[in-house]
Amino acid sequence: MLTECGTLNPQMFGPAFKAPIAPEAIQARNMTDPYPKDLKDSPATHRRSIYMFHKRVVQHPLMQAFDGPDAQASCGRRVTTTVAPQSLALLNDRFVRDRAADLARRLEKEAGDEIEAQVRLGWRLALAREPSASELESSIAFIKAQSQRRTDREATLAENNAQHVALTDFCQAIFALNEFIYVD
């Protein structure tokens, strides 16, 4: 996701970063050295997950949903699972939503204001291919419908802002595609 939206911090080595975790997801038993509750998403936290700090009793929710390693036990082989909570995490996780917004900004900057150009670039960046005719048509229809729904729901939302939020919704949907998640 960080690579596609153009925000990956390529810094190698050095100290680990602590990713922001929602306070309700922190259930640490070690209260003498609790996980910080006020961490902010920043370029410093946009490094590869190999550099992510892991507190044994506080596993990052998104990593946990996608079979992140358990820091409390060693394991010779990890089992890969595909379960419904993974889809829910992709639809509700703050990190995923923020990266979708970053990708939407990149599409607007690089493809301009035309929805079709934005959709084509989004597919090329995320999936390394052009969308089929039906994928292109349904993607454009989705963005237009979402923009209208957002405008109807929030009367104060400007048209260009509704368009951006709808494009963000589209980018989040791309991140949830099996084709994006799994390498064939």
Side-chain angles (χ1 to χ4, degrees):
M1 289 182 204
L2 292 169
T3 300
E4 306 315 323
C5 63
T7 61
L8 177 66
N9 179 343
Q11 178 189 352
M12 295 175 59
F13 313 111
F17 68 89
K18 289 184 179 180
I21 298 177
E24 60 271 10
I26 298 175
Q27 298 174 355
R29 294 178 286 253
N30 179 357
M31 299 320 279
T32 58
D33 184 22
Y35 195 86
K37 292 182 170 88
D38 60 349
L39 294 171
K40 302 292 182 220
D41 186 41
S42 70
T45 64
H46 292 184
R47 295 176 69 199
R48 293 177 45 221
S49 62
I50 194 169
Y51 298 110
M52 184 186 294
F53 174 84
H54 294 277
K55 189 172 179 88
R56 285 191 181 131
V57 294
V58 182
Q59 193 168 16
H60 192 278
L62 187 60
M63 299 295 275
Q64 186 176 19
F66 284 93
D67 301 316
D70 182 359
Q72 296 188 64
S74 61
C75 179
R77 178 180 295 181
R78 291 190 355 237
V79 179
T80 301
T81 58
T82 303
V83 292
Q86 293 170 335
S87 296
L88 294 172
L90 291 169
L91 292 174
N92 295 300
D93 189 81
R94 181 86 251 152
F95 174 83
V96 177
R97 185 64 182 181
D98 290 345
R99 299 305 66 84
D102 289 343
L103 180 56
R105 280 189 287 278
R106 180 179 182 184
L107 297 180
E108 290 166 339
K109 180 180 176 186
E110 294 181 17
D113 295 333
E114 187 185 339
I115 296 173
E116 181 177 337
Q118 293 170 343
V119 168
R120 286 183 182 280
L121 180 58
W123 280 80
R124 279 195 311 271
L125 288 173
L127 306 173
R129 69 175 179 85
E130 287 290 328
S132 68
S134 65
E135 289 168 336
L136 180 63
E137 183 181 324
S138 62
S139 296
I140 292 170
F142 173 79
I143 293 170
K144 288 180 178 178
Q146 282 297 97
S147 182
Q148 187 60 52
R149 284 186 197 108
R150 296 280 184 173
T151 304
D152 292 346
R153 198 173 1 180
E154 301 172 47
T156 60
L157 196 61
E159 184 179 333
N160 61 345
N161 196 18
Q163 181 78 20
H164 172 74
V165 175
L167 187 60
T168 300
D169 294 342
F170 167 73
C171 293
Q172 189 168 4
I174 281 184
F175 287 156
L177 292 173
N178 279 348
E179 192 175 348
F180 180 79
I181 298 168
Y182 299 105
V183 178
D184 286 335

